[in-house]
């Protein structure tokens, strides 16, 4: 539930709406409960005195021998009438007598539930004598106000059971006392079935409205998140729909403008670097021609070598910039087959590259750019480490392409500097290596455009270059067209199993 609350906007929206409903209902209950209780008590008290006055008039008019029948006809489950010869002195004693009278069974009561298909009502909830004995002990008889009792007969009034019960004692003309006890009928809890049904229906309607509103908000946000993730991975996407509420629409418009500006910025930079490279060819050609007229052969050779180096660096820089302009289409490929073909190409060139076959991993990427990045890393491992061993490893958040070599590794302080353009670690690795120091720069630029990164892990046995790609690029396995046949060439067992705990080397594959 907590995970759903954190992840789902709809769950948060519905939860807040239901919380607002519950709080509002609770506040309404607290505000109206006291007024409701007072109104019900005032109505019950008024009815009690009205019935008491009516019964008093009736008793004064009818003969004494039929008074008992009149009492039985007037009694209910919550009201009882009886006569006493003596005046009730103590209110506490009278209250206990009233509880006993209220528990008396009605005369001539007919239980229709046994004769017809009808559920009998529950027994009346009468006061407990022990509670009555404890409550209202400090209250004695009081004289009712004239507005409630306007008969000439003397009367006195008392509450019992926390003012839920009313008691009235009236002196008749013959000197006897008419006692009338009434108890407020339990009308049920405030949260009865009807109120709960009402709140439940209201909550359901609010939840449906919340789902509708949250979906209108979250759907554009999900599209925006997917588009932002794809843009971060270098995909060329069409503009996202600019619909929905005003805030969402303006966010989509801002995202589309940002995406257009980024593409325009990369395109303009690539064009500028291409123009610079084209313009540099003319002065470089002029310098080369002038170098031909230098008579000192040693000086001439140094000049030509410097000119070649400048030209190579210029062309490499242009190629690097063009490689960052992600014009290649993103599509689904089989990552295992792509890495296997790179390793087989290196083996064909005579490089000691071994590939450990992995499970099929359909992945969404720009295959040519990814091929270039992995090839640069593999060539770097062969050049500096003497050999390369490549395998794919799955983690909880990434798909790692691990390239392992036997070289001396990279010092901790230099692990970030090696990605700088034109930076070369000649002193720490092979001094006879060539290149101009753009291989790892290009590789990391391509991998970061896919949403991943490159890291190094050094040990006494060598170094691992880890190309981490996000698991979001994995697509559902689909039948892929196998347009390649693989020729098996087994590498030495010692080189295939070293440095990879728990894995057994598989034959490397080679494209036919």
């Amino acid at each position: 539930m907590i995970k759903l609350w954190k992840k789902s906007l709809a769950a948060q929206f519905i939860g807040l709406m239901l919380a607002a409903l519950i709080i509002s209902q609770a506040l309404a209950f607290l505000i109206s409960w006291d007024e409701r209780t007072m109104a019900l008590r005032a109505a019950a008290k008024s009815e009690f005195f009205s019935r008491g006055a009516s019964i008093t008039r009736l008793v004064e008019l009818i003969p004494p021998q039929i008074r008992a029948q009149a009492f039985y006809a007037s009694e209910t489950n919550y009201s009882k009438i009886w006569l006493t010869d003596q005046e009730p002195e103590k209110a506490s004693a009278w209250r206990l007598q009233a509880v006993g009278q209220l528990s008396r069974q009605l005369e001539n009561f007919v239980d229709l539930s046994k004769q017809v298909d009808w559920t009998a009502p529950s027994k009346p909830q009468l006061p407990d004598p022990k509670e009555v004995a404890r409550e209202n002990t400090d209250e004695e008889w009081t004289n009712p106000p004239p507005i409630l009792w306007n008969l000439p007969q003397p009367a006195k009034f008392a509450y019992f059971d926390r003012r839920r019960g009313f008691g009235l004692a009236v002196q008749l003309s013959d000197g006897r006392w008419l006692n009338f006890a009434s108890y407020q009928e339990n009308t049920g809890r405030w949260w009865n079935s009807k109120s709960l049904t009402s709140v439940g229906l209201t909550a359901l309607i609010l939840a449906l409205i919340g789902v509708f509103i949250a979906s209108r908000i979250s759907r554009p946000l999900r599209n925006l998140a997917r588009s932002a993730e794809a843009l971060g991975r270098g995909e060329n996407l069409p503009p996202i729909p600019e619909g929905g509420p005003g805030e969402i629409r303006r966010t989509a418009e801002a995202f589309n403008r940002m995406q257009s500006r980024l593409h325009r910025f990369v395109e303009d930079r690539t064009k500028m670097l291409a123009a610079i490279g084209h313009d540099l060819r003319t002065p470089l050609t002029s310098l080369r021609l002038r170098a031909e007229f230098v008579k000192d052969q040693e000086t001439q050779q140094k000049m030509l070598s410097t000119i070649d180096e400048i030209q190579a660096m210029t062309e490499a820089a242009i190629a690097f910039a063009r490689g960052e302009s992600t014009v290649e289409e993103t599509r689904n490929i089989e990552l295992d087959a792509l890495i296997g073909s790179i390793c087989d190409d290196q083996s064909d060139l005579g490089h000691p590259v071994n590939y450990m076959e992995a499970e099929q991993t359909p992945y969404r990427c720009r295959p040519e750019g990814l091929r270039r990045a992995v090839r640069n890393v593999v060539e770097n491992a062969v050049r500096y480490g003497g050999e390369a061993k490549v395998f794919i490893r799955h983690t909880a958040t990434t798909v790692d392409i691990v390239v392992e070599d036997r070289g001396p590794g990279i010092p901790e302080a230099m692990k970030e500097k090696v990605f700088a353009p034109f930076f070369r670690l000649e002193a720490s690795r092979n001094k006879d290596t060539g290149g101009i120091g753009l291989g790892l720069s290009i590789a990391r630029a391509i991998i970061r455009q896919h949403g991943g990164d490159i890291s190094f892990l050094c040990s006494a046995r060598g170094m691992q270059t880890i190309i981490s790609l996000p698991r979001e690029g994995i697509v559902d396995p689909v039948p892929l067209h196998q347009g390649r046949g693989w020729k098996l060439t087994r590498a030495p067992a010692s080189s295939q199993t070293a440095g990879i705990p728990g894995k057994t080397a598989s034959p490397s594959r080679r494209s036919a």
Side-chain angles (χ1 to χ4, degrees):
M1 184 63 69
I2 297 178
K3 291 183 178 179
L4 181 62
W5 172 265
K6 292 181 178 180
K7 292 182 179 180
S8 175
L9 176 63
Q12 295 183 17
F13 192 80
I14 295 171
L16 292 175
M17 291 184 67
L18 294 181
L21 172 64
I22 294 173
I23 293 173
S24 64
Q25 292 289 338
L27 291 176
F29 166 75
L30 293 175
I31 293 172
S32 62
W33 178 253
D34 187 58
E35 295 181 358
R36 176 179 180 271
T37 303
M38 293 179 61
L40 290 176
R41 184 173 296 165
K45 189 175 181 179
S46 177
E47 181 186 2
F48 171 77
F49 275 100
S50 178
R51 290 191 64 195
S54 299
I55 293 172
T56 300
R57 293 190 187 99
L58 177 64
V59 170
E60 292 284 14
L61 294 176
I62 63 176
Q65 59 270 22
I66 62 173
R67 285 178 178 176
Q69 288 78 9
F71 291 165
Y72 296 152
S74 301
E75 289 180 338
T76 67
N77 283 328
Y78 291 92
S79 62
K80 294 295 189 295
I81 308 168
W82 69 99
L83 287 172
T84 58
D85 295 331
Q86 300 295 328
E87 177 185 0
E89 297 291 341
K90 294 290 184 179
S92 57
W94 185 93
R95 291 188 181 101
L96 294 176
Q97 185 182 9
V99 172
Q101 290 289 337
L102 286 171
S103 60
R104 175 169 46 84
Q105 181 68 35
L106 288 175
E107 297 289 337
N108 302 322
F109 177 74
V110 179
D111 189 0
L112 295 177
S113 63
K114 298 179 180 179
Q115 302 179 14
V116 298
D117 187 14
W118 172 65
T119 303
S122 59
K123 293 183 179 181
Q125 296 181 358
L126 298 176
D128 185 359
K130 294 181 180 180
E131 293 184 2
V132 172
R134 289 194 300 266
E135 300 291 340
N136 307 102
T137 56
D138 57 338
E139 296 182 10
E140 286 296 330
W141 293 104
T142 60
N143 295 323
I147 192 173
L148 293 176
W149 187 259
N150 56 6
L151 297 182
Q153 289 84 352
K156 50 186 180 179
F157 172 79
Y159 289 106
F160 63 92
D161 193 24
R162 290 168 293 180
R163 295 180 176 253
R164 293 183 62 184
F166 308 113
L168 184 65
V170 182
Q171 186 178 18
L172 301 177
S173 57
D174 59 359
R176 304 186 71 184
W177 286 82
L178 174 67
N179 299 273
F180 183 35
S182 179
Y183 189 73
Q184 281 184 279
E185 183 178 359
N186 186 10
T187 57
R189 298 192 185 100
W190 175 260
W191 296 106
N192 52 32
S193 59
K194 292 183 179 179
S195 61
L196 290 176
T197 302
S198 175
V199 173
L201 290 176
T202 305
L204 178 61
I205 294 173
L206 286 177
L208 294 176
I209 295 174
V211 169
F212 174 74
I213 297 176
S215 64
R216 289 200 65 197
I217 297 174
S218 61
R219 189 182 303 112
L221 290 178
R222 285 195 298 268
N223 294 335
L224 179 62
R226 284 194 295 265
S227 299
E229 177 65 24
L231 179 63
R233 297 179 66 239
E235 297 187 28
N236 290 319
L237 301 172
I240 61 175
E242 299 175 356
E247 294 80 2
I248 302 297
R249 185 175 63 254
R250 286 192 290 272
T251 302
E253 292 172 355
F255 178 82
N256 289 333
R257 288 195 299 269
M258 178 192 70
Q259 181 176 228
S260 176
R261 289 167 183 165
L262 287 175
H263 289 315
R264 187 166 61 248
F265 169 75
V266 174
E267 184 180 355
D268 291 344
R269 189 182 66 169
T270 304
K271 290 181 179 178
M272 180 187 67
L273 290 175
I276 291 174
H278 180 270
D279 294 341
L280 284 175
R281 289 192 180 98
T282 300
L284 288 174
T285 303
S286 177
L287 287 174
R288 187 180 299 276
L289 290 174
R290 293 181 181 180
E292 295 293 339
F293 293 100
V294 176
K295 295 181 180 181
D296 187 352
Q297 292 294 327
E298 183 178 357
T299 303
Q300 183 188 53
Q301 192 63 34
K302 290 181 179 180
M303 292 177 64
L304 291 175
S305 177
T306 302
I307 293 171
D308 291 339
E309 184 178 0
I310 294 174
Q311 187 170 359
M313 293 177 64
T314 303
E315 292 177 354
I318 295 172
F320 174 59
R322 286 176 176 172
E324 285 189 311
S325 60
T326 54
V327 296
E328 184 185 357
E329 180 184 358
T330 302
R331 56 189 176 90
N332 298 341
I333 57 104
E334 186 186 338
L335 189 61
D336 174 72
L338 178 69
I339 305 304
S341 66
I342 296 172
C343 295
D344 289 337
D345 290 341
Q346 293 296 314
S347 296
D348 289 341
L349 296 176
H351 299 157
V353 177
N354 296 320
Y355 175 61
M356 301 186 67
E357 187 176 0
E359 62 182 13
Q360 292 187 354
T361 306
Y363 199 81
R364 182 172 176 81
C365 65
R366 291 177 297 283
E368 293 304 321
L370 185 59
R371 177 188 294 273
R372 183 182 183 188
V374 176
R375 185 176 62 243
N376 287 355
V377 173
V378 172
E379 290 177 349
N380 197 65
V382 172
R383 183 180 301 117
Y384 296 111
E387 65 174 353
K389 188 185 306 176
V390 185
F391 59 94
I392 297 176
R393 179 177 62 197
H394 292 260
T395 69
T397 57
T398 62
V399 178
D400 295 342
I401 304 170
V402 182
V403 180
E404 190 176 77
D405 62 52
R406 297 300 177 196
I410 299 176
E412 190 67 30
M414 297 294 179
K415 286 185 177 179
E416 185 63 27
K417 294 182 178 180
V418 295
F419 292 110
F422 307 111
F423 183 86
R424 297 168 63 185
L425 265 179
E426 298 297 341
S428 60
R429 306 194 81 168
N430 194 335
K431 295 182 179 181
D432 299 327
T433 186
I436 55 176
L438 278 177
L440 289 178
S441 300
I442 294 173
R444 187 166 74 163
I446 294 173
I447 298 303
R448 283 187 171 180
Q449 287 167 3
H450 283 79
D453 207 345
I454 300 178
S455 59
F456 302 108
L457 180 62
C458 299
S459 67
R461 294 177 297 182
M463 186 181 75
Q464 286 185 349
T465 304
I466 304 172
I467 301 174
S468 300
L469 296 171
R471 288 191 66 86
E472 288 78 4
I474 297 179
V475 297
D476 294 332
V478 294
L480 298 175
H481 177 68
Q482 299 292 339
R484 289 175 173 266
W486 298 98
K487 182 172 67 178
L488 300 181
T489 58
R490 185 173 297 275
S494 60
S495 63
Q496 289 191 13
T497 57
I500 309 172
K503 293 206 65 158
T504 303
S506 301
S508 65
R509 302 178 298 181
R510 178 180 174 184
S511 58

